[in-house]
Amino acid sequence: MSETGGRRGQIEGVGVVLLTAIVILGVGTFGAFYLGTLDPGDNASADLRVVATNDTTDATGEVTVTVKHMGGEPVDDGMVLLRDRDESYPLPDHFEEGTEWETSVTGAPVGSRLHVVVVENATESVVFNSPVTVRDGTPPATIPSTATPTATATPTPTSTATSTPTPTSTATPTPPATSIPTPTPPATPSLATVTLTDSRDLFFFIFDIGDEFDVSATVANPTGTALVTYELRAPNGDVVDTVEDSAVSDGRSSASLQAVFGDQSRRYFITVTLRVDGTVVDTKTLEVKGP
């Protein structure tokens, strides 16, 4: 091969590498520009709730990501993006109130976060943008009952005396009245104490995306099937996050609530409700203010 032919081959190889780099750079630049042009969602009228749960005992097992439309306008031509993974999934057409969508991912242990973004391509707006904490979805272990069955007393038959008629009438004594003890009803459980640990960055004067509030409650005299519900609400009454905890057999319960948007009034309300066998027996509300 001549020296001229060798140089020509080297030039062609360099040209292919440069052309490939230009194409990759162009695609990445277009993607960043496209996300930057989307409406950040301040005026979005769709209320979406995103939950990620790990239903296996394996911390690196399969994780279910669920998007639920809680109310407001439907989402047309929607797309779910997992920004930390560079993965995207299309939502069903005309995703409206009361409908759910879910997908499965791997490699997200309990306690880790998935940054979820939901965009509406029809209006070029961001409907949801927040990190979502992966929760433990395994059901609590059932504790077998150790109660000892109570033996039922068998009544002893009483012999009946036969009266013999006599010429004179005999007065029959009246038996004394028997007192029936009134059973004492069991004590009604109550939320003895409710405490809050604020884990947000106190440098800021308002709450922001990802701020967490660790709440714990003590149930006095837990009986029956007890369930503690934790709700994080904005000042306008919107429910920001909800956690249910049924593991209160030892009288203790806890939850971690997460903020998903900034609140200019610098406060939230946390409501803790105790239900026993489906009936609300006690509730307490905490007001959380900014510094």
Side-chain angles (χ1 to χ4, degrees), residues 112-176:
S112 64
R113 293 187 176 183
L114 298 174
H115 195 146
V116 181
V117 180
V118 180
V119 298
E120 185 178 42
N121 294 322
T123 59
E124 297 186 352
S125 62
V126 176
V127 184
F128 181 91
N129 182 7
S130 174
V132 178
T133 302
V134 178
R135 300 174 179 174
D136 187 359
T138 56
T142 301
I143 302 176
S145 175
T146 58
T148 303
T150 304
T152 302
T154 303
T156 303
T158 304
S159 59
T160 304
T162 303
S163 61
T164 303
T166 58
T168 58
S169 61
T170 303
T172 302
T174 303

Side-chain angles (χ1 to χ4, degrees), residues 112-281:
S112 64
R113 293 187 176 183
L114 298 174
H115 195 146
V116 181
V117 180
V118 180
V119 298
E120 185 178 42
N121 294 322
T123 59
E124 297 186 352
S125 62
V126 176
V127 184
F128 181 91
N129 182 7
S130 174
V132 178
T133 302
V134 178
R135 300 174 179 174
D136 187 359
T138 56
T142 301
I143 302 176
S145 175
T146 58
T148 303
T150 304
T152 302
T154 303
T156 303
T158 304
S159 59
T160 304
T162 303
S163 61
T164 303
T166 58
T168 58
S169 61
T170 303
T172 302
T174 303
T178 303
S179 174
I180 301 176
T182 303
T184 302
T188 302
S190 63
L191 290 171
T193 58
V194 176
T195 58
L196 166 67
T197 300
D198 185 0
S199 60
R200 64 188 174 86
D201 188 354
L202 295 178
F203 177 78
F204 295 97
F205 285 88
I206 62 175
F207 300 103
D208 203 356
I209 295 174
D211 289 338
E212 292 186 350
F213 307 91
D214 297 326
V215 188
S216 61
T218 301
V219 180
N221 302 321
T223 59
T225 303
L227 177 68
V228 180
T229 302
Y230 301 84
E231 289 186 340
L232 179 64
R233 293 179 178 269
N236 62 358
D238 291 341
V239 178
V240 178
D241 198 4
T242 302
V243 175
E244 291 185 348
D245 185 17
S246 58
V248 293
S249 59
D250 59 349
R252 299 178 181 178
S253 174
S254 63
S256 179
L257 300 172
Q258 186 179 53
V260 296
F261 59 85
D263 175 29
Q264 298 301 324
S265 64
R266 305 174 186 171
R267 63 177 181 170
Y268 277 111
F269 294 93
I270 298 177
T271 300
V272 184
T273 304
L274 171 65
R275 291 179 173 85
V276 176
D277 296 332
T279 302
V280 176
V281 297

Side-chain angles (χ1 to χ4, degrees), residues 21-64:
I22 291 172
V23 170
I24 295 175
L25 180 61
V27 172
T29 303
F30 173 76
F33 172 77
Y34 175 72
L35 288 176
T37 58
L38 293 177
D39 187 345
D42 293 338
N43 298 324
S45 56
D47 181 12
L48 302 184
R49 181 182 179 187
V50 180
V51 178
T53 56
N54 190 329
D55 297 330
T56 65
T57 56
D58 185 0
T60 61
E62 190 173 82
V63 175
T64 301

